[in-house]
């Protein structure tokens, strides 16, 4: 479904992503694992069009999407839950969720009614959000914010979900909860690309994984095999 | 593309030669281009030159939109006029003009320069309006709206005719130019340059933003006062209404048009705003200029078309504007009525076409064609040495807390760093490490708890205070001074000491070969080393390195380890945030681990490596521990 | 004493009602600042062009409301044009050029208006009577009421659209976090252009409601823009309620200080307060504190 | 490239054509604000003068020493700004071939710029700027052989008429309102001087100021009302005057409003609407086609510029007559030499039939102690006008004879 070929990207200065080729098959969950600063976030941003790649290709459903604006890529079905969540903090929880479904909703008129089915679905999944639906997103706690970010992404009914460091900045107990949600999503047959610094958890929920170090893929394979590979551990602590 | 010509001269020397030649030419011009009008224009240009060099200190060097310059100009003009009315001699009258602008300018600068962007613009605008109101209303002093008429006083009992007055203005312009240039080449100027690029970094490195800004503003005001004095003597009649919004906008346009952060730019801008609106009254010249401008602007889009690209709107916009201007010039019966509109189109084309102004565009072109001899590099002295060793504790944090919104970013952290100790701070992304450094260095004010650096308690939330206590830091997201060279970046940070000492610091981090390269052109890894050199040059009592190895290549990391090792050997206590475990393992005496804002472990690198809590924090939870989670959901 | 008190009340009421017009133009600043961190320094020219368009349309025999609608459409186009030609270019070049480009575009509008509509001030005909109403000794003209009601109505309308239509919420999302909005499939450029168009509508509408008071001429809005800019910055470029409050307070304070100190000084106290106030609270009275990140 | 070459050709052609013709033309400069706030006056003045000049050129030009010379106009927009005005004056005075200058609306511009004409001895006719200072500066300096003439009812005359009118209407307690510009403040001073001349008969109860752009005059009017003013004497321009008139109406403050000639401009009359009725001002010209003398000019102006009303009729008429007077002076001088023109302006032999009056020797030899020597208008050829239903009419119908009249003998 998604395929990159020798993708290069970066901000000012050197490339942070130095020629990465990955593949995500329909219905699978693929993890990008690597330490902070390995280039995972840059890769993910390049996939979604938030930064323009310096070289290489991104094929989504067989079409090259390099150079399209992020909003266009989002409309084609790639949904990113960005690192640091990036909620619309002055807006309410419900508005945040509605915005997730923005391309489908009427600009004027009864948008809430149009989206009510999806909203109900999200609120069932995250009851905490239903309780706080009219609260400002910025006033939520870290875990709730992450749930909202996930919820917002689900509202888009994406073909491919990309989660960038969903565990970042959360207490361990909340991290567990997030991973539980991810694995339940995966169970519904959603295609997921997960970028994660916590190798163990990431390898547990994914089918395949790529270990990234300094902008390049250093290891790839099924998650089960990688989990047993001592080199993975090495990539972190050594 | 071009080999370029090598002149065998330094850029600075060439600039000075060209400038002197131009001034001599300008001084001789009245002999060739005769008439009162020519003199009037040239004098106005010289006066505006002084004024715009002053305005450029805020608009260019400080990077703030200053709308008070026209009012300061007015205050200077009135100062001079009143002094002349009281019988002052010419130099004294000019001094009165300078004082007339400088004092209110400094009074404005103190509150206004704490602000930025629209807020700064608005407070200067308010000041400007207020000044005009005062000039208008204090009729007993300023004669209000009726205006003041004065005649030009004698210069040392010599009467000044129009030509000699022009020479006087020209001479003062030269002095103002040279003085500004010298000022902005000095450490003061470097500091101004640095604080525009990153006020956070300048404050954290003890350069001090506000002090420098106020001084720069005061200098700009003094020049406005001088220009005002000259203006009074030039026209001999003053009216408050002449210094309103229109003049302000015109001055601002002049600076941008000419090119910011350059005396050349201010001079060219002055020439344009003094001459162009007046010269454009001449229809022939007008048509010629506009047509010529039009031809110039169609070059980029045609070039784009020739290389089979659709020209960008940015490239095409100036051409569209100029074509419209040409259409107006040749098809409107009364051009004089459309003068302002055509002038606007002209300006639009220049501002879009040359975002760095005329001076910026010309300099860039010249640098392409001409190779100047680079400045010499002095031998290095000094370097990392163990100069400051005190007993006791380098850093003590007690019960430090900070939350943002609902998130506790730092939660009850208590930590000590001993003298000469290197403490590693690790933890997953978002665990609060950088927030902790921001609290120590005074960028954030803690919600509760206290920070003690080398025995002193800095004022909470003040970068400068933490710096004076001895803390110096680098930044996770680089805060380089883009406009400065590597050498200048060090010079501006070090407290005294000359170029050779600065070279010593560069040598210590291995950047001695890149001393004359601008930060904007340096690689990421080099900038990381430069930030360390910057922090070192302040001779800190506590060095905080925030992810120094992030984004570095393997050989660079090896160099970094060596560098931090030598700093450590010199006895400087270090707080090191790092993800690369090998860096931490090799350098740190102790390691602290943060997770979710809390300190979860503290010990030697080996202890930490084996700590199950740490391993879990890094590798993430096991799904096996369900019970925990279910307990929470109930 | 009694007369003085009544006079002060009269001043405060007239000033406050006109202050609503400041708030409306300031609202235009706020809209564009929220969307793209830029404001139009040529907003006064949009106010003026809106008024002229309205005048020309009603000169063509259109009824007042149709003329106002036409002016608003023109305002939307002009606002969009300024964003497209000037602001976006400057922001692409990453400098403060947008300030100058908006001033320059304004200068061009000014010259164009002088040549198209002439240089004199013209009256703007209105459907309401010229007489005044009397409330407990304070007289209020229909015109003043119309300005206040118009400003309030326009702001309410835009604010409702911002809060209760999907497109309005999307524009707010773009102001809050442009990248995140893009990720939701919102075309942020379009949203920003839309904000500028709405800001142009507010400006043009302001032109048509103050036109009858100020008369319509090329220089009609110069003073108004500066005051509106002050209102926007003092209120904090983030709160529409704050704008109204500050606008009314500024209008009233000007009139009262003009009455007490002499009319030449009418703006002085507000200006001093403004400098001091900003020094103490840079983010504005109703603004949120900005956290520096490194 | 081709386009560029053709543009170049046009440029060259214009350069050569102007220099080739230069010998056979009289060059006259017209300066004033043609853009910005005072543009209505500047443009009307310019267009009036151009109308006169076009008429002269149609008849073959001026007979200068037996040679028919056409008049060429150099226009310069001073934008109403002093600095720009000074530069315009410098430019014109250094052109070398300018015979005379007509113009200036803003007194400040005259104060900054006129000295350059005086230095070069270039003749300038100031119109319609009425501020006293633009002439008194020369009498104060004791300048000899002054080449500056004024063709406007200067504020001294106007102020006197305004004060006399107030007395005539029995308003002995007056409030003075004026704008914060040079024009308004000097008008205020003239009014105070004239009131002083009346020897304590009239009492000024309050003096209030307003800024350009002020639309709410409640404060000033409330103060005037509280002080018991019986009339408002006002000096200002255009929309602010209208704001005062509407403010008066709003507060129910029904006292006469009398002020300078600018109250006759359309930007006051149209804006004030019904509130403007009854407002009085001195006039030198009224756009009224029933006045036989004015009719041809009014019709010609309307036709030439495609308008149904002149933006500032007084400025236009004064510009027209000033140009006629100048042409006659050049003819009588028999040369385009400025000093000759100055002398013949001071001793005009033939009465010039203008649209305001028949001008018979309007000026005389400059005497620094008497500004009247270079002032064309007298109390006698200025009338009181009144706003009535959107038009200016004569306040005193008997004055019609003044506007019709063939007077002005010295």
């Amino acid at each position: 479904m998604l395929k990159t070929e020798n993708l290069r990207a970066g901000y000012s200065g050197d490339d942070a992503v130095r020629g990465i080729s990955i593949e995500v098959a329909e219905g699978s969950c693929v993890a990008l694992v690597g330490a902070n600063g390995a280039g995972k976030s840059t890769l993910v941003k390049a996939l979604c069009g938030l930064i323009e790649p310096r070289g290489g290709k991104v094929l989504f459903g067989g079409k090259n999407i390099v150079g399209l604006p992020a909003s266009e890529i989002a409309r084609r079905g790639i949904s990113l839950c960005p690192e640091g969540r990036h909620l619309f903090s002055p807006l309410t929880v419900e508005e945040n969720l509605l915005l997730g479904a923005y391309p489908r909703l009427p600009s004027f008129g009864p948008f809430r009614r149009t989206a009510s089915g999806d909203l109900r679905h999200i609120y069932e999944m995250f009851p905490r959000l239903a309780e706080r639906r009219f609260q400002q997103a910025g006033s939520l706690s870290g875990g709730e914010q992450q749930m909202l970010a996930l919820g917002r992404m689900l509202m888009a009914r994406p073909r491919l979900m990309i989660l960038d460091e969903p565990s970042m900045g959360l207490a361990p107990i909340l991290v567990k909860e997030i991973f539980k949600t991810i694995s339940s999503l995966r169970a519904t047959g959603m295609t997921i690309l997960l970028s994660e610094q916590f190798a163990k958890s990431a390898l547990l929920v994914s089918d395949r994984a790529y270990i990234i170090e300094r902008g390049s893929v250093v290891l790839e394979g099924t998650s089960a095999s990688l989990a047993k590979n001592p080199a993975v551990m090495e990539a972190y602590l050594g | 593309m071009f080999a370029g010509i090598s002149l065998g001269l330094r850029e600075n020397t060439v600039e000075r030669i060209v400038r002197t030649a131009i001034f001599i030419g300008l001084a001789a011009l009245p002999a060739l281009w005769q008439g009162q009008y020519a003199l009037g224009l040239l004098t106005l240009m010289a006066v505006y030159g002084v004024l715009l060099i002053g305005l450029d200190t805020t608009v260019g060097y400080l990077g703030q939109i200053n709308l008070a310059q026209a009012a300061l100009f007015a205050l200077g003009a009135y100062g001079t006029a009143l002094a002349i009315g009281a019988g002052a001699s010419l130099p004294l009258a000019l001094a009165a003009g300078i004082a007339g602008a400088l004092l209110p300018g400094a009074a404005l600068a103190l509150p206004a320069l704490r602000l930025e962007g629209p807020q700064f613009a608005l407070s200067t605008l308010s000041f400007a309006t207020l000044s005009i109101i005062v000039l208008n209303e204090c009729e007993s002093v300023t004669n209000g709206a009726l205006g003041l008429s004065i005649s030009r006083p004698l210069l040392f009992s010599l009467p000044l005719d129009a030509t000699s007055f022009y020479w006087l203005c020209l001479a003062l312009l030269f002095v103002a130019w040279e003085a500004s240039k010298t000022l902005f080449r000095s450490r003061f100027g470097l500091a101004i340059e640095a604080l525009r690029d990153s006020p956070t970094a300048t404050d954290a490195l003890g350069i001090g933003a506000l002090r420098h800004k106020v001084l720069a503003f005061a200098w700009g005001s003094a020049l406005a006062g001088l220009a005002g004095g000259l203006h009074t003597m030039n026209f001999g009649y003053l009216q408050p209404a002449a210094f309103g919004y229109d003049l302000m906008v015109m001055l601002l346009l002049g600076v941008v048009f000419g090119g910011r952060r350059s005396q050349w730019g201010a001079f060219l801008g002055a020439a344009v705003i003094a001459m162009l609106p007046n010269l454009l009254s001449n229809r022939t010249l007008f048509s010629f200029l506009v047509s010529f401008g039009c031809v110039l602007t169609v070059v980029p889009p045609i070039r784009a078309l020739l290389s089979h690209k659709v020209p960008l709107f940015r490239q095409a916009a100036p051409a569209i504007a100029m074509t419209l201007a040409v259409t107006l010039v040749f098809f409107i019966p009364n051009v004089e009525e459309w003068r302002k509109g055509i002038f606007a189109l002209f300006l639009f084309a220049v501002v879009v076409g040359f975002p760095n102004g005329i001076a910026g565009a010309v300099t860039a072109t010249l640098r392409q064609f001409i190779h100047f001899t680079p400045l010499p590099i002095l031998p290095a002295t000094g370097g990392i040495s163990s100069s400051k060793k005190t007993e006791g504790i380098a850093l003590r944090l007690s019960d430090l807390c900070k939350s943002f919104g609902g998130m506790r970013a730092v939660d009850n952290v208590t930590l000590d760093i001993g003298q000469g100790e290197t403490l590693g701070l690790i933890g997953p992304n978002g665990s609060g490490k950088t927030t902790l450094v921001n609290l120590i260095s005074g960028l954030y004010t803690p919600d509760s708890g206290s920070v003690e650096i080398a025995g002193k308690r800095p004022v909470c939330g003040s970068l400068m205070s933490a710096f004076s206590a001895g803390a110096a830091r680098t930044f996770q997201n680089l805060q380089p001074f883009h406009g400065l060279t590597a050498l200048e970046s060090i010079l501006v940070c070090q407290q005294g000491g000359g170029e050779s000492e600065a070279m010593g610091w560069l040598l210590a981090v291995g950047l001695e070969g890149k001393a004359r390269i601008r930060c904007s052109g340096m690689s990421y890894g080099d900038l990381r080393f430069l930030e360390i050199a910057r922090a070192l040059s302040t001779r800190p009592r506590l060095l905080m390195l925030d992810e120094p190895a992030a984004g570095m290549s393997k050989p660079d990391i090896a160099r970094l380890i060596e560098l931090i090792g030598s700093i450590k050997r010199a006895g400087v206590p270090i707080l090191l945030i790092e993800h690369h475990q090998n860096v931490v393992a090799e350098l740190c005496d102790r390691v602290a681990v943060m997770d979710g804002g809390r300190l979860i472990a503290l010990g030697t690198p080996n202890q930490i490596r084996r700590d199950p809590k740490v391993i879990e924090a890094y590798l993430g939870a096991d799904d096996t521990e369900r019970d925990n989670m279910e307990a929470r959901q109930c | 004493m009694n007369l003085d008190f009544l006079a002060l009340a009269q001043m405060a009421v007239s000033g406050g009602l006109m202050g609503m017009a400041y708030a409306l133009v300031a609202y235009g600043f706020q809209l564009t600042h929220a969307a793209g961190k830029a404001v139009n320094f040529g907003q006064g020219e949009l106010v003026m062009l809106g008024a002229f368009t309205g005048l020309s349309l009603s000169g063509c025999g259109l009824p007042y409301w149709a003329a106002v609608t036409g002016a608003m459409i023109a305002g939307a186009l002009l606002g969009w044009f300024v964003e497209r030609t000037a602001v976006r270019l400057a922001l692409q070049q990453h400098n403060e050029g947008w300030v100058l480009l908006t001033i320059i575009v304004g200068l061009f509008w000014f010259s164009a208006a002088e040549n198209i509509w002439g240089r004199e001030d013209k009256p703007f005909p209105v459907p309401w009577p010229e007489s005044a109403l009397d409330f407990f000794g304070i007289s209020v003209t229909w015109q003043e009421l119309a300005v206040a009601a118009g400003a309030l109505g326009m702001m309410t309308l835009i604010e409702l659209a911002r809060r209760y239509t999907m497109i309005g919420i999307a524009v707010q999302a773009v102001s809050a976090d442009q990248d995140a909005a893009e990720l939701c499939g919102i075309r942020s450029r379009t949203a920003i252009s839309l904000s500028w168009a709405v800001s142009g509508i507010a400006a043009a509408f302001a032109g048509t409601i103050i036109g009858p008071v100020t008369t319509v001429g090329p220089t009609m809005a110069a003073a108004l823009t500066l005051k509106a800019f002050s209102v926007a910055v003092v209120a904090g470029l983030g709160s529409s309620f704050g704008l109204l409050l500050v606008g009314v307070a500024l209008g009233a304070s000007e009139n009262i200080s003009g009455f007490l100190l002499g009319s030449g000084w009418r703006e002085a106290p507000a200006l001093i307060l403004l400098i001091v106030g900003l020094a103490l609270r840079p983010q504005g009275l109703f603004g949120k504190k900005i956290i520096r990140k490194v | 490239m081709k386009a560029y070459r053709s543009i170049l050709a046009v440029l060259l052609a214009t350069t050569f054509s102007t220099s080739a013709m230069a010998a056979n033309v009289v060059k006259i400069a017209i300066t004033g604000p043609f853009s910005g706030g005072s543009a209505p006056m500047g443009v009307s003045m310019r267009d009036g003068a151009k109308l006169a000049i076009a008429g002269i050129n149609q008849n073959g030009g001026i007979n200068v020493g037996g040679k028919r010379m056409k008049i060429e106009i150099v226009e310069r927009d001073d934008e109403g700004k002093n600095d720009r005005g000074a530069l315009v004056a410098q430019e014109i005075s250094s052109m070398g071939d300018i015979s005379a200058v007509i113009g200036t609306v803003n007194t400040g511009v005259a104060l900054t710029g006129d000295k350059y004409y005086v230095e070069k001895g270039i003749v300038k006719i100031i119109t319609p700027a009425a501020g006293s200072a633009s002439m008194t500066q020369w009498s104060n300096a004791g300048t000899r052989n002054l080449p500056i003439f004024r063709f406007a009812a200067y504020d001294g005359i106007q102020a006197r008429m305004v004060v006399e009118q107030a007395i005539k209407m029995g308003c002995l307690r007056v409030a003075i309102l004026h704008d914060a510009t040079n024009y308004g403040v000097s008008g205020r001073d003239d009014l105070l001087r004239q009131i002083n001349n009346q020897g304590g008969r009239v009492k000024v109860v309050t003096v209030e100021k307003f800024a350009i752009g002020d639309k709410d005059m409640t404060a000033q009017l409330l103060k005037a009302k509280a002080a018991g003013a019986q009339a408002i004497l006002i000096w200002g321009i255009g929309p602010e005057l209208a704001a005062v008139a509407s403010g008066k109406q709003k507060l129910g403050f029904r006292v006469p409003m009398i002020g300078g000639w600018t109250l006759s401009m359309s930007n006051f009359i149209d804006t004030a609407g019904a509130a403007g009725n009854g407002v009085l001002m001195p006039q030198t010209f009224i756009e009224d086609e029933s006045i036989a003398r004015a009719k041809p000019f009014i019709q010609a102006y309307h036709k030439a510029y495609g308008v149904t009303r002149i933006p500032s009729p007084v400025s236009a008429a004064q510009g027209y007559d000033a140009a006629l007077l100048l042409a006659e002076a050049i003819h009588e001088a028999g040369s385009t030499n400025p000093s000759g023109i100055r002398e013949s302006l001071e001793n005009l032999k033939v009465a010039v039939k203008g649209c305001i009056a028949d001008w018979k020797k309007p000026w005389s030899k400059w005497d620094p102690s008497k500004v009247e020597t270079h002032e064309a208008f007298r109390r006698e050829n200025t009338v009181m006008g009144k706003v009535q239903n959107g038009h200016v009419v004569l306040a005193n119908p008997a004055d019609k004879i003044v506007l019709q009249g063939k007077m002005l003998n010295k």
Side-chain angles (χ1 to χ4, degrees), chain D residues 94-339:
Chain D
S94 43
M95 278 179 182
D97 53 354
I98 296 285
S99 303
V101 184
I102 297 175
T104 303
V105 169
N106 313 74
T107 308
V109 171
L111 290 176
T112 355
D114 285 358
K115 56 173 173 274
Y116 301 106
Y117 299 125
V118 174
E119 273 173 30
K120 288 276 169 81
I122 293 175
V123 170
K124 178 181 177 192
I125 299 180
I126 298 180
T127 189
S132 305
S134 42
M135 293 311 285
T136 49
Q137 64 167 331
W138 305 115
S139 54
N140 294 342
T143 313
R144 308 246 153 228
N145 294 334
L146 183 73
I148 310 284
F149 297 81
R150 167 136 55 190
F151 193 72
Y154 64 103
D155 283 353
I157 297 179
Q158 294 192 45
R160 187 171 140 207
M161 291 179 68
V162 168
V163 172
E164 283 169 2
Q165 181 73 27
I167 295 172
K168 202 164 114 192
M169 295 170 82
C171 309
L172 297 181
R173 296 168 61 80
V174 298
I176 296 178
L177 262 66
H178 64 96
D179 74 22
T181 65
N182 190 317
Y183 176 71
V185 177
S186 85
R188 172 199 68 190
D189 291 350
D190 280 323
L191 281 174
L192 290 173
R193 204 172 300 129
Q194 292 300 333
I195 287 170
N196 232 1
N197 289 350
Q198 297 293 338
R201 259 208 293 170
V202 181
K203 188 169 183 295
V204 178
V205 292
T206 177
V207 178
E208 290 292 322
K209 197 184 266 187
F210 49 85
I212 294 295
D214 278 3
K215 299 303 165 200
D216 185 353
M217 304 297 179
T218 325
Q220 293 89 333
L221 289 168
L222 276 176
K223 277 193 181 169
K225 194 178 181 185
Q230 294 165 323
I232 287 175
L233 310 188
I234 190 161
W235 229 258
I237 295 176
E240 291 81 26
L241 301 177
V244 172
S246 350
K248 260 176 68 199
Q249 193 182 42
K250 172 183 149 193
L251 296 177
F253 183 30
R254 288 182 230 298
V255 293
M257 182 165 144
I258 318 167
W261 70 269
T262 47
L263 284 164
S264 69
M265 280 165 62
S266 55
N267 57 9
F268 167 73
I269 297 174
D270 292 354
T271 317
N277 275 342
V279 168
L280 295 155
M281 82 301 287
Q283 289 288 279
T284 58
F285 178 79
I286 288 176
E287 190 179 10
D288 177 358
E289 293 189 25
S290 76
I291 299 169
R293 165 184 298 284
K295 191 177 173 187
F297 165 72
I298 297 170
Q299 284 176 341
Y301 190 104
H302 289 180
K303 195 172 153 235
Y305 302 104
V307 291
T308 52
R309 211 167 49 169
I310 306 173
S312 169
V314 172
S315 310
Q318 288 176 0
Y320 184 84
D321 280 11
L324 292 181
L325 280 164
L326 193 58
E328 175 59 27
I330 294 170
H331 165 65
E332 287 184 15
S335 86
T336 55
N337 174 6
S339 73

Side-chain angles (χ1 to χ4, degrees), chain A residues 58 60 70 75 86 116 124 143 145 152 161 165 172 185 195 224 235:
Chain A
V58 180
F60 182 62
R75 280 162 191 249
H86 287 265
S116 60
E124 275 164 15
Q145 289 194 2
R152 185 177 69 184
M161 279 173 60
E165 309 234 351
L185 283 174
S195 143

Side-chain angles (χ1 to χ4, degrees), chain B residues 315-599:
Chain B
Q315 291 167 326
I320 296 169
M322 289 311 288
T323 313
L324 193 57
V326 167
T327 319
L328 285 175
V329 168
F330 285 95
F331 293 98
I332 293 279
N334 197 344
V335 177
E336 187 74 357
E337 302 203 326
W338 274 93
R339 210 162 50 86
K340 262 188 189 163
I342 296 169
F343 187 52
L345 289 169
F346 207 91
L347 283 174
F348 181 86
V350 173
V351 173
V352 174
F354 305 115
N356 295 321
I358 302 174
V362 170
T363 325
T365 322
L366 283 184
R367 283 198 184 132
Q368 244 178 18
F369 288 110
I370 302 172
H371 289 302
F372 299 105
T373 313
L375 290 168
I377 291 173
L378 294 171
T381 59
I384 304 167
S385 61
S386 44
S387 54
K388 270 177 196 153
K389 257 190 188 167
T390 41
E391 292 305 308
I393 286 184
L395 175 72
R396 167 164 283 168
L397 306 176
S398 12
D399 298 325
L400 215 53
C401 291
K402 177 76 186 173
S403 23
F404 296 109
M407 287 244 310
R408 296 212 106 174
V410 168
D411 195 355
N412 260 322
V413 171
T414 301
L415 188 65
D416 280 353
I417 299 182
Q419 277 305 336
E421 184 186 27
T422 299
L423 181 89
L425 186 59
I426 64 172
N429 246 356
S431 59
K433 304 178 303 282
T434 297
T435 309
L436 190 69
V437 171
N438 284 344
L439 286 170
I440 300 170
S441 63
L443 185 65
Y444 296 159
T445 315
D447 296 337
S448 64
S450 69
V451 178
E452 195 181 309
I453 300 166
K456 286 186 201 154
R457 279 203 172 193
V459 180
C460 288
S462 158
L463 287 163
M464 284 292 278
S465 171
F467 171 81
S468 3
R473 66 174 290 189
T474 67
F475 297 88
Q476 182 186 3
N477 295 321
L478 288 170
Q479 303 275 323
F481 305 140
H482 290 290
L484 301 187
T485 64
L487 183 65
E488 288 166 340
S489 301
I490 307 294
L491 275 173
V492 73
C493 293
Q494 68 188 15
Q495 315 282 313
E499 255 182 46
S500 34
E501 193 187 322
M503 280 306 298
W505 293 115
L506 285 180
L507 185 67
V509 299
L511 289 175
E512 69 283 0
K514 297 181 176 165
R516 298 283 183 200
I517 296 178
R518 265 177 214 286
C519 293
S520 51
M522 287 172 80
S523 76
Y524 196 74
D526 285 345
L527 287 177
R528 288 245 173 249
F529 279 107
L530 185 61
E531 281 210 350
I532 298 175
R534 246 173 26 183
L536 281 177
S537 72
T538 66
R539 301 185 179 277
R541 292 191 191 119
L542 172 70
L543 181 63
M544 292 181 281
L545 303 173
D546 195 355
E547 303 207 16
M552 274 193 183
S553 60
K554 261 201 169 134
D556 275 350
I557 291 180
R559 246 174 79 201
L560 181 72
I561 293 176
E562 203 174 306
L563 171 65
I564 298 177
S566 66
I567 300 169
K568 190 181 162 186
R569 280 192 295 281
V572 181
I574 301 171
L575 175 63
L576 174 66
I577 298 183
E578 193 41 74
H579 287 297
H580 291 77
Q581 290 290 325
N582 46 348
V583 179
V584 174
E586 204 153 318
L587 293 169
C588 297
D589 304 313
R590 283 191 301 158
V591 178
V593 187
M594 281 185 85
D595 192 26
R598 292 215 182 93
L599 213 56

Side-chain angles (χ1 to χ4, degrees), chain D residues 23-24 26 59-70 327-336:
Chain D
N24 292 320
V26 181
N59 294 331
I62 313 175
N63 181 348
V64 184
K67 203 164 76 176
R68 283 272 166 191
M69 291 172 97
K70 295 220 169 172
E328 175 59 27
I330 294 170
H331 165 65
E332 287 184 15
S335 86
T336 55

Side-chain angles (χ1 to χ4, degrees), chain C residues 46-193:
Chain C
L46 294 194
V47 173
M48 177 259 294
L49 289 177
F52 266 128
T53 313
L55 189 64
S56 293
L57 289 176
S58 60
C60 294
L62 284 178
Y64 180 77
W65 298 112
V68 170
T69 314
M72 281 159 61
I73 294 169
L77 289 175
L78 290 169
W80 172 81
F81 181 82
V82 172
E83 196 272 338
R84 190 64 198 84
T85 56
V87 180
R88 195 181 293 181
L89 272 179
L91 290 179
Q92 274 171 7
Q93 293 173 342
H94 297 289
N95 59 22
E96 305 87 21
W98 57 266
V99 176
L100 293 143
L101 285 178
T102 53
I103 291 176
I104 291 169
V105 173
L107 200 63
F108 182 75
W109 293 143
F110 182 86
S111 177
E114 272 193 337
N115 285 290
I116 296 171
W117 283 286
R119 293 161 171 79
E120 318 113 76
D121 290 303
K122 298 184 174 71
F124 197 113
V126 284
W128 42 78
E130 279 189 31
S131 58
L133 298 170
D134 195 84
F135 295 102
F136 311 106
I138 296 171
S139 51
V140 176
T141 57
W142 281 102
Q143 183 53 56
E144 285 171 337
L145 283 180
V147 169
L152 202 62
M154 191 52 161
M155 285 176 70
T156 316
L157 213 65
I158 299 178
E159 200 58 22
L160 286 177
R162 261 163 65 85
R163 291 193 188 172
Y164 299 107
T165 66
M166 202 57 226
I167 207 156
I169 296 173
V171 170
Q172 286 191 65
V174 172
S175 340
D177 191 327
Q178 200 169 324
D179 277 354
E182 279 274 332
L183 290 175
C184 290
I186 300 166
R187 299 186 174 108
S188 56
R189 277 189 177 184
T190 316
I192 291 174
S193 294

